[in-house]
């Protein structure tokens, strides 16, 4: 099995393990998720107490749930949390009652346009309770009394998030962020979690230039908490990527940072077309995933977002149809491969200064032409050297050289390595 194919199968197996767990913005489901991810990449887990002020937000009470159901008079569970964690409105307060269907309907959520699907709904910051079910299930429920039970707790506890750091040659950081708060939704965002974990493993096999910090946190409140607790470190963050919806069959979509010209934006604009993959690049909007927190104006970090079909862009989004059939090993492997290609460019991109800028230095005397003999790309390699020499003025990066010359970044980087080894340029 090819390495990338093997990685795809392993990522899919991780998604399968995580899929049944009931996750939310706090609680034991998040901890259980991080415990499993920790088997793939060691995590530093952080627990932030309820009531902690994090920027303009406050860490909420912790929510945990043991059981929930709607049962008819015969005791049959018409709606059963044990069958799917989507069946309960996220953060539902506890309830134990018997009520007629007419009263219960106000607490039932369905998707009439997709009668066989169960929606994903939450009520994080407003005390509420409810159930999510298929419209066809509701249509089959006769009038009468139903036993309603939600065995949950809302109590002071913690918000849980985790980090994994791949040390680099410099303390400047690239952050990779994935949200861990959604229950049984395979693409949103178990696929993103899996790709992030395997990207971390791949980077750890190298000696990267940058330090790579992987953040696994609940959406919105988790990223806000991380930013609040790491205000002194934010200046080290030079680049970043939010990973979400990474396993569906759609084309790759990159959403640019708020800046629009951040280095990660330029790298993605270079790598995606060069890869010849079907793709789409979009402008920044302050709606979506946690890129909107990292790109909030006070921080304005160079953080973009990579997905396949973006949020709300596929009909299965936030429904029970976002299941294990929607994601594939091949799609996750492709997303992982693109991330590795992009980070290879990001990690290698440098500015150099030509140490022999007056006229063209004699490359043959230094054995640089001879070293290329017999290569099928000799002419391209020679041209890359000339371009690197000409643009190594301390102002142009290797990505600038690749874009202006139309040469592959790999050829430009190889030329820079050769010239640096010959003492003709310095970083």
């Amino acid at each position: 099995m090819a390495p990338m194919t093997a990685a795809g199968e392993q990522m899919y197996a991780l998604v399968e393990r995580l899929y049944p767990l009931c996750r939310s913005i706090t609680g034991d489901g998040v901890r259980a998720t991080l415990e499993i991810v920790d088997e793939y990449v060691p995590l530093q887990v952080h627990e932030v107490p309820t009531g902690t002020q994090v920027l303009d937000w406050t860490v909420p009470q912790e929510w945990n749930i043991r059981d929930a159901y709607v049962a008819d008079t015969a005791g049959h569970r018409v709606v059963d949390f044990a069958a799917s964690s989507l069946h309960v409105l996220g953060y539902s307060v506890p309830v134990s009652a018997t009520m007629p269907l007419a009263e219960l309907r106000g607490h039932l959520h369905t998707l009439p346009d997709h009668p066989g699907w169960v929606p994903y709904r939450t009520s994080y910051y407003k005390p509420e309770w409810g159930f999510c079910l298929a419209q066809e299930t509701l249509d089959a429920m006769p009038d009468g009394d139903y036993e309603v039970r939600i065995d949950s707790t809302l109590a002071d506890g913690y918000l849980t998030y985790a980090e994994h750091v791949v040390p680099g040659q410099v303390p400047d950081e690239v952050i990779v962020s994935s949200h861990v708060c959604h229950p049984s939704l395979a693409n949103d965002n178990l696929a993103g979690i899996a790709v992030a974990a395997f990207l971390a493993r791949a980077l750890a096999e190298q000696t990267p230039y940058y330090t790579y910090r992987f953040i696994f946190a609940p959406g919105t409140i988790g990223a806000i908490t991380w930013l609040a607790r790491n205000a002194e470190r934010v200046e080290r963050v030079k680049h970043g990527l939010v990973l979400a919806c990474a396993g569906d069959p759609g084309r790759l979509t990159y959403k640019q940072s708020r800046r629009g010209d951040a280095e990660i934006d330029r790298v993605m604009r270079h790598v995606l077309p060069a890869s010849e993959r079907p793709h789409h690049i979009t402008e920044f909007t302050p709606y979506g995933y946690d890129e909107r927190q990292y790109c909030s104006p006070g921080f304005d970090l160079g953080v973009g977002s990579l997905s396949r079909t973006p949020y709300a862009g596929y009909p299965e989004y936030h429904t029970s149809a976002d299941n294990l059939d929607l994601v594939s090993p091949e799609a996750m492997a492709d997303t992982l491969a693109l991330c590795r290609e992009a980070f290879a460019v990001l990690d290698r991109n440098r500015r150099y200064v030509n140490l022999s800028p007056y006229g063209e230095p004699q490359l043959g005397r230094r054995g640089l032409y001879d070293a290329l003999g017999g290569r099928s790309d000799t002419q391209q390699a020679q041209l890359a050297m000339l371009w690197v020499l000409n643009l190594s003025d301390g102002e142009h990066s290797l990505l600038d050289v690749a874009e202006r010359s139309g040469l592959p970044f790999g050829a430009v980087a190889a030329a820079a390595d050769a010239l640096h080894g010959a003492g003709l340029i310095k970083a």
Side-chain angles (χ1 to χ4, degrees):
M1 183 180 291
M4 195 52 66
T5 303
E9 296 290 347
Q10 292 165 6
M11 285 187 286
Y12 188 84
L14 173 56
V15 171
E16 282 186 306
R17 290 184 65 191
L18 296 174
Y19 185 73
L21 299 178
C22 181
R23 279 165 292 274
S24 190
I25 56 173
T26 62
D28 292 334
V30 174
R31 296 187 185 96
T33 297
L34 297 177
E35 286 176 6
I36 292 174
V37 174
D38 182 70
E39 297 175 21
Y40 293 79
V41 287
L43 299 178
Q44 181 181 8
V45 177
H46 305 272
E47 299 271 20
V48 184
T50 296
T52 301
Q53 189 72 25
V54 286
L55 306 181
D56 194 46
W57 295 59
T58 303
V59 172
Q61 289 190 311
E62 182 176 323
W63 182 70
N64 285 293
I65 183 167
R66 286 158 291 279
D67 193 17
Y69 60 85
V70 175
D72 60 22
T73 53
H76 170 66
R77 293 192 175 192
V78 182
V79 184
D80 191 357
F81 169 76
S84 171
S85 60
L86 293 178
H87 276 309
V88 172
L89 177 77
Y91 253 62
S92 280
V93 298
V95 62
S96 181
T98 299
M99 64 184 66
L101 180 59
E103 181 181 349
L104 178 58
R105 281 182 182 274
H107 296 276
L108 301 181
H109 304 270
T110 65
L111 292 168
D113 291 343
H114 296 283
W117 296 357
V118 177
Y120 163 57
R121 299 288 185 268
T122 64
S123 184
Y124 295 141
Y125 302 105
K126 178 183 177 182
E128 184 59 88
W129 64 269
F131 290 87
C132 301
L133 66 159
Q135 181 66 45
E136 59 189 24
T137 301
L138 177 58
D139 292 343
M141 292 172 64
D143 289 334
D145 288 343
Y146 289 86
E147 180 188 359
V148 179
R149 170 91 169 150
I150 297 178
D151 182 12
S152 65
T153 55
L154 266 170
D156 287 353
Y158 299 90
L159 179 145
T160 308
Y161 72 91
E163 297 174 286
H164 172 79
V165 176
V166 180
Q169 300 171 38
V170 297
D172 291 345
E173 292 189 359
V174 179
I175 59 171
V176 180
S177 182
S178 297
H179 61 275
V180 298
C181 52
H182 287 179
S184 298
L185 302 174
N187 196 41
D188 180 23
N189 186 40
L190 298 181
I193 294 170
V195 170
F198 278 76
L199 179 58
R201 291 175 67 169
L203 289 168
E205 295 172 357
Q206 309 164 15
T207 306
Y209 178 73
Y210 289 110
T211 294
Y212 287 82
R213 182 176 300 274
F214 289 78
I215 303 168
F216 300 91
T220 305
I221 185 67
I224 286 171
T225 299
W226 185 88
L227 286 164
R229 288 166 56 88
N230 291 275
E232 77 290 345
R233 179 182 286 129
V234 164
E235 63 181 18
R236 297 186 199 170
V237 177
K238 305 304 179 185
H239 321 285
L241 192 64
V242 170
L243 279 173
C245 300
D248 69 86
R251 64 183 177 179
L252 285 160
T253 299
Y254 176 70
K255 174 183 171 183
Q256 298 184 107
S257 73
R258 178 178 181 268
R259 299 178 190 174
D261 62 349
E263 192 167 335
I264 186 68
D265 301 326
R266 296 186 58 215
V267 166
M268 285 296 186
R269 290 198 299 262
H270 178 80
V271 170
L272 279 166
S275 75
E276 299 185 343
R277 291 176 173 88
H279 68 275
H280 183 51
I281 297 174
T282 67
E283 298 293 330
F284 174 79
T285 65
Y287 181 75
Y289 292 116
D290 285 329
E291 68 278 358
R292 68 188 197 270
Q293 310 307 331
Y294 301 118
C295 293
S296 56
F299 294 108
D300 196 22
L301 300 178
V303 177
S305 176
L306 182 68
S307 60
R308 301 194 72 85
T309 308
Y311 52 86
Y314 54 100
E316 300 90 350
Y317 178 77
H318 279 193
T319 77
S320 58
D322 186 347
N323 56 32
L324 294 171
D325 294 331
L326 182 64
V327 300
S328 71
E330 294 77 15
M332 284 186 281
D334 186 54
T335 306
L336 174 62
L338 187 279
C339 289
R340 295 184 67 176
E341 292 165 23
F343 282 4
V345 173
L346 187 71
D347 210 58
R348 183 62 187 85
N349 196 27
R350 303 279 191 285
R351 287 178 172 82
Y352 288 90
V353 174
N354 188 338
L355 298 178
S356 183
Y358 299 101
E360 183 181 301
Q362 189 177 14
L363 300 181
R365 176 165 60 83
R366 295 172 171 84
L368 292 176
Y369 280 154
D370 294 342
L372 302 173
R375 283 174 44 170
S376 60
D377 61 347
T378 297
Q379 186 174 0
Q380 182 187 80
Q382 291 175 351
L383 186 58
M385 285 191 185
L386 297 178
W387 271 108
V388 171
L389 284 168
N390 190 268
L391 292 180
S392 289
D393 53 8
E395 299 295 328
H396 292 86
S397 69
L398 296 185
L399 184 56
D400 291 324
V401 176
E403 290 176 343
R404 185 163 175 179
S405 68
L407 294 169
F409 182 88
V412 171
D417 288 340
L419 293 167
H420 186 267
L424 286 171
I425 60 174
K426 69 174 182 178

